[in-house]
């Protein structure tokens, strides 16, 4: 039996039964509906409209043309007709084992470089609802950039994970962080197990445990390392990890470092997950057929490229049926989902005790940095002694810890105000409004209607860069994503809605998106759109006539 290890934190999702009908292929659409409705307290639907056939063909042709011209330019570079600016071995090292894999860099130097100006733009303000960008220009086709000295002011930020708007430099949270800086300083200069364990860290962990509804919790200074360094402490050889095909790279890296057997199930597909569970129990380990020491199911709350929400009630039911463990990454869902902002567990009204390992980050909804793991006290005590992130990493910065404490108390309503509840409600309203308007305009939108991550499909490679540039011309900052971070024909723009966005900001962004969509012909959706409302005055006039 072969070892199935995912190569990246993403996978193409064509052909997944619960998302797209396998027999339909390109050119059809499907509404993802609940398989086991008895486990859900409210309707759970996610839409993934299929790529139109003509668009798919043109997209493949576009990548084909770019590839042909890429090989032509490589030929010209080889004969020094065109200047080569890529990293490569020196002439005197040509007989050595190559340090740079030429073929692996093909995409970077011939496709990515053409649209590189859409990323890595310097920001010179708080990345809140609006931000200021340093203008950059390139005179060598995006290989290098120069700052012009001009600052682009008040760009509407539709790309940051600032879901609740706590990324700000004023207000109660910022004031508390300043006080913590004056009291503790900025850095700790030691790990938690040596001289870096402060009272503010222990206060944070008690608060996180209470917020999640679990026995205990542990905070870490880096969100990525929370996954990549703790999964190896929980599983090892003789263990089986069942990973969603769209899991984040930090989860994939953690699973690889653990040395466990990894098997990947189709995204949010409970039939695929159950089949793997049945096979694992029936056949056991490869060659020896001994029972697995441990089976760990690894999923995310909100998948940041698809805008989809995990089918947690069904995952929990399978986990209980087959006696497996569940690792839930709530990086994007904590603070952004649920009536109380407690993430996907709160969203579905489940018991936190049904999730064995609850992981999340403070980098998004809380406007800070770092991550956490919550669960039973025995689990946390074990990680304090065995987690590489706990033993070798520097402690979380005190002002960062205070930022998390202040924002979390605000969400919980323990600051004496309704600010947290108001932001949760505003985020929900903004998400619903923004998604509905984009669909009405005729764009193909992926994901769940309650997800603040809103992927809008672009498809063709030339439109990736064009969309980002045209939106910036209209003072809208967006994130555009293409292959290999997505399947080759599913390039997209990814909007992130925030509670800090006013209705005026959203309307401005929607107007610009509508204009650019017409300019670039991005309105691919073939769904029947509802007739536009005439408004109460027009309707009353018609009734009088």
């Amino acid at each position: 039996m072969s070892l199935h290890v995912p190569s990246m934190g993403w996978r193409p999702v064509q052909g997944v039964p619960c998302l797209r009908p396998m027999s339909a292929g390109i050119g059809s659409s499907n509404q993802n509906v609940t398989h086991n409705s008895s486990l859900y307290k409210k309707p759970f639907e996610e839409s993934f409209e299929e790529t139109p056939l003509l668009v798919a063909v043109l997209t493949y042709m576009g990548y084909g043309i770019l590839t042909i011209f890429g090989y032509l330019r490589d030929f010209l570079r080889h004969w020094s007709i065109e200047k080569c600016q890529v990293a490569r071995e020196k002439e005197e090292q040509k007989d050595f084992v190559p340090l740079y894999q030429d073929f692996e860099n093909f995409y970077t130097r011939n496709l990515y470089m053409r649209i590189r100006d859409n990323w890595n733009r310097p920001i010179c303000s708080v990345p809140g609802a609006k931000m200021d960008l340093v203008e950059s220009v390139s005179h060598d086709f995006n290989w290098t950039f120069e700052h012009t000295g001009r600052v682009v002011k008040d760009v509407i930020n539709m790309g940051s994970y600032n879901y609740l708007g706590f990324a700000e430099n004023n207000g109660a949270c910022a004031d508390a962080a300043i006080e913590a800086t004056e009291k503790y300083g900025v850095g700790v200069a030691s790990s938690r197990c040596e001289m870096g364990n402060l009272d503010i860290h222990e206060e944070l962990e008690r608060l996180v445990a209470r917020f999640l509804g679990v026995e205990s919790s542990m905070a870490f200074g880096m969100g990525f390392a929370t996954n990549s360094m703790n999964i190896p402490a929980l599983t090892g050889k003789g263990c089986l990890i069942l990973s969603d095909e769209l899991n984040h790279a930090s989860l994939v890296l953690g699973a690889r470092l653990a040395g466990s057997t990894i098997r990947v199930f189709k995204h949010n597909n409970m039939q695929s997950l159950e089949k793997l569970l049945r096979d694992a129990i029936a056949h056991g380990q490869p060659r020896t057929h001994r029972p697995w020491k441990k089976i760990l199911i690894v999923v995310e709350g909100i998948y940041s490229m698809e805008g989809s929400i995990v089918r947690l009630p069904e995952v929990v039911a399978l986990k209980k049926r087959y006696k497996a463990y569940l690792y839930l990454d709530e990086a994007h869902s904590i603070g952004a989902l649920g009536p109380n902002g407690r993430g996907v567990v709160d969203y579905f009204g489940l018991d936190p005790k049904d999730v064995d390992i609850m992981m999340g980050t403070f980098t998004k909804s809380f406007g800070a940095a770092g991550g956490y793991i919550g669960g039973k006290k025995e689990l946390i005590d074990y990680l304090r002694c065995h987690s590489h992130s706990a033993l070798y990493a520097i402690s979380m910065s005190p002002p960062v810890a205070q930022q998390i404490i202040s924002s979390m108390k605000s969400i919980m309503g323990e600051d004496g105000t309704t600010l947290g509840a108001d932001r949760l409600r505003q985020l929900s309203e903004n998400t619903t409004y923004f998604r509905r308007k984009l669909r009405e305009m005729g764009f193909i939108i992926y994901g769940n209607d309650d997800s603040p991550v809103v992927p809008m499909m672009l498809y063709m490679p030339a439109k990736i860069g064009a969309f980002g540039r045209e939106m910036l011309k209209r003072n809208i900052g967006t994130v555009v994503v293409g292959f290999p971070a997505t399947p080759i024909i599913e390039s997209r723009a990814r909007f992130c809605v925030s509670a800090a966005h006013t209705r005026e900001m959203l309307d401005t962004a929607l107007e610009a998106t509508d204009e650019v969509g017409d300019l670039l012909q991005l309105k691919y959706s073939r769904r029947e759109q509802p007739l536009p409302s005439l408004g109460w005055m027009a309707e009353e006039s018609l009734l009088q006539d």
Side-chain angles (χ1 to χ4, degrees):
M1 188 177 295
S2 62
L3 184 67
H4 191 175
V5 181
S7 61
M8 291 285 284
W10 49 266
R11 274 294 186 276
V13 293
Q14 290 89 344
V16 180
C18 70
L19 299 182
R20 302 179 174 92
M22 291 183 71
S23 60
I26 297 170
S28 64
S29 63
N30 183 39
Q31 187 78 9
N32 180 17
V33 296
T34 299
H35 290 293
N36 191 348
S37 58
S38 62
L39 297 174
Y40 294 82
K41 298 179 181 179
K42 61 180 181 179
F44 180 78
E45 296 182 349
E46 295 185 336
S47 60
F48 294 88
E49 188 174 346
E50 282 292 339
T51 307
L53 179 59
L54 178 61
V55 174
V57 171
L58 293 175
T59 302
Y60 280 122
M61 288 178 60
Y63 276 105
I65 293 169
L66 286 171
T67 302
I68 291 171
F69 274 92
Y71 280 113
L72 175 61
R73 297 187 72 179
D74 280 353
F75 175 79
L76 297 177
R77 293 182 186 120
H78 177 74
W79 293 100
S80 301
I81 299 173
E82 179 180 332
K83 183 180 179 181
C84 183
Q85 304 191 63
V86 297
R88 56 181 180 175
E89 287 80 11
K90 295 179 180 179
E91 187 65 26
E92 57 267 26
Q93 295 176 320
K94 63 180 180 180
D95 295 327
F96 288 25
V97 176
L99 178 63
Y100 304 104
Q101 296 296 324
D102 186 67
F103 181 77
E104 293 177 2
N105 294 327
F106 179 86
Y107 181 89
T108 301
R109 65 178 177 267
N110 290 308
L111 283 78
Y112 167 71
M113 280 297 173
R114 291 174 174 266
I115 54 175
R116 186 178 168 220
D117 55 300
N118 283 277
W119 297 279
N120 308 315
R121 294 180 177 128
I123 298 172
C124 56
S125 69
V126 175
K130 290 187 176 182
M131 57 187 176
D132 299 337
L133 300 180
V134 177
E135 186 181 64
S136 301
V137 296
S138 177
H139 303 292
D140 54 4
F141 305 103
N142 294 338
W143 286 97
T144 61
F145 292 90
E146 296 178 3
H147 296 163
T148 64
R150 177 175 171 265
V151 174
V152 184
K153 295 281 189 179
D154 295 327
V155 176
I156 297 178
N157 182 2
M158 297 300 300
S160 294
Y161 305 133
N162 185 26
Y163 297 130
L164 293 180
F166 283 115
E168 51 193 358
N169 58 359
N170 54 48
C173 293
D175 293 341
I178 292 172
E179 292 178 8
T181 305
E182 293 173 347
K183 179 179 179 179
Y184 297 99
V186 175
V188 181
S190 183
S191 64
R192 288 287 298 275
C193 61
E194 293 175 338
M195 302 295 292
N197 188 34
L198 305 180
D199 58 348
I200 196 171
H201 295 138
E202 297 190 358
E203 178 188 356
L204 170 61
E205 291 174 343
R206 289 193 298 269
L207 181 64
V208 170
R210 193 153 49 84
F211 180 66
L212 298 175
V214 296
E215 293 180 9
S216 185
S217 76
M218 187 174 182
F220 303 89
M222 181 181 178
F224 191 98
T226 305
N227 279 331
S228 60
M229 293 290 101
N230 283 299
I231 292 178
L234 298 171
T235 65
K237 292 183 178 180
C239 298
L240 174 65
I241 295 176
L242 302 180
S243 176
D244 189 290
E245 64 181 349
L246 295 183
N247 275 343
H248 190 264
S250 59
L251 294 170
V252 175
L253 177 61
R256 286 175 168 177
L257 293 175
S260 304
T261 300
I262 305 169
R263 291 179 185 151
V264 178
F265 62 92
K266 294 176 181 178
H267 175 55
N268 246 353
N269 188 330
M270 296 304 105
Q271 291 95 333
S272 176
L273 174 58
E274 185 168 18
K275 184 180 184 301
L276 290 178
L277 284 166
R278 283 181 174 176
D279 291 346
I281 292 173
H283 302 295
Q285 299 184 40
R287 294 189 296 275
T288 65
H289 299 292
R290 292 176 181 173
W292 295 99
K293 295 179 181 178
K294 191 183 303 176
I295 299 177
L296 181 66
I297 303 170
V298 181
V299 294
E300 294 186 44
I302 292 179
Y303 292 85
S304 60
M305 267 320 158
E306 302 295 311
S308 56
I309 297 175
V310 65
R311 296 175 172 275
L312 192 60
E314 295 178 70
V315 176
V316 169
L318 289 175
K319 167 239 173 186
K320 290 180 177 179
R321 185 183 307 163
Y322 294 97
K323 304 296 187 291
Y325 293 95
L326 177 58
Y327 186 108
L328 174 63
D329 179 349
E330 294 221 66
H332 287 269
S333 54
I334 193 70
L337 281 182
N340 304 299
R342 288 175 166 84
V344 71
V345 176
D346 185 31
Y347 176 78
F348 288 112
L350 300 176
D351 187 347
K353 295 182 177 63
D354 289 336
V355 180
D356 301 288
I357 304 109
M358 298 184 70
M359 178 271 172
T361 63
F362 303 120
T363 56
K364 299 166 181 71
S365 294
F366 304 96
Y372 67 82
I373 283 184
K376 292 183 178 180
K377 186 176 184 300
E378 294 85 352
L379 167 71
I380 303 305
D381 289 344
Y382 174 83
L383 287 177
R384 291 190 194 281
C385 299
H386 294 85
S387 169
H388 286 75
S389 281
L391 297 173
Y392 303 112
I394 295 297
S395 298
M396 181 182 290
S397 175
V400 172
Q402 185 59 57
Q403 165 72 19
I404 301 166
I405 291 172
S406 301
S407 57
M408 190 171 290
K409 285 184 175 179
S410 178
I411 296 170
M412 298 170 72
E414 295 185 1
D415 61 342
T417 70
T418 61
L419 178 64
D422 292 342
R423 294 193 182 195
L424 289 170
R425 185 182 64 256
Q426 188 63 51
L427 175 62
S428 178
E429 292 176 359
N430 286 352
T431 298
T432 302
Y433 176 78
F434 194 74
R435 280 182 166 272
R436 176 171 58 82
K437 286 293 186 182
L438 285 177
R439 280 207 182 94
E440 289 176 358
M441 291 174 184
F443 296 104
I444 293 180
I445 304 300
Y446 274 7
N448 193 290
D449 285 345
D450 293 326
S451 170
V453 179
V454 187
M456 189 188 86
M457 306 311 293
L458 302 176
Y459 297 116
M460 301 180 194
K463 294 184 179 182
I464 302 173
F467 183 82
R469 294 174 190 132
E470 289 296 329
M471 290 294 283
L472 187 58
K473 288 179 184 178
R474 292 158 177 79
N475 246 36
I476 311 294
T478 59
V479 173
V480 289
V481 190
F483 180 81
T486 67
I488 192 166
I489 64 168
E490 294 188 7
S491 301
R492 63 199 66 180
R494 186 182 62 181
F495 299 101
C496 290
V497 182
S498 171
H501 290 138
T502 64
R503 184 58 60 87
E504 181 184 2
M505 292 179 190
L506 293 180
D507 286 339
T508 302
L510 287 165
E511 183 181 349
T513 306
D514 188 31
E515 185 179 335
V516 175
D518 289 332
L519 177 66
L520 301 179
Q521 298 181 357
L522 298 173
K523 298 179 180 180
Y524 303 113
S525 180
R526 293 165 298 165
R527 297 186 183 203
E528 292 185 7
Q529 302 299 329
L531 293 174
S533 174
L534 296 174
W536 68 270
M537 292 183 66
E539 291 173 2
E540 184 178 328
S541 175
L542 288 174
L543 289 173
Q544 289 175 353
D545 292 343

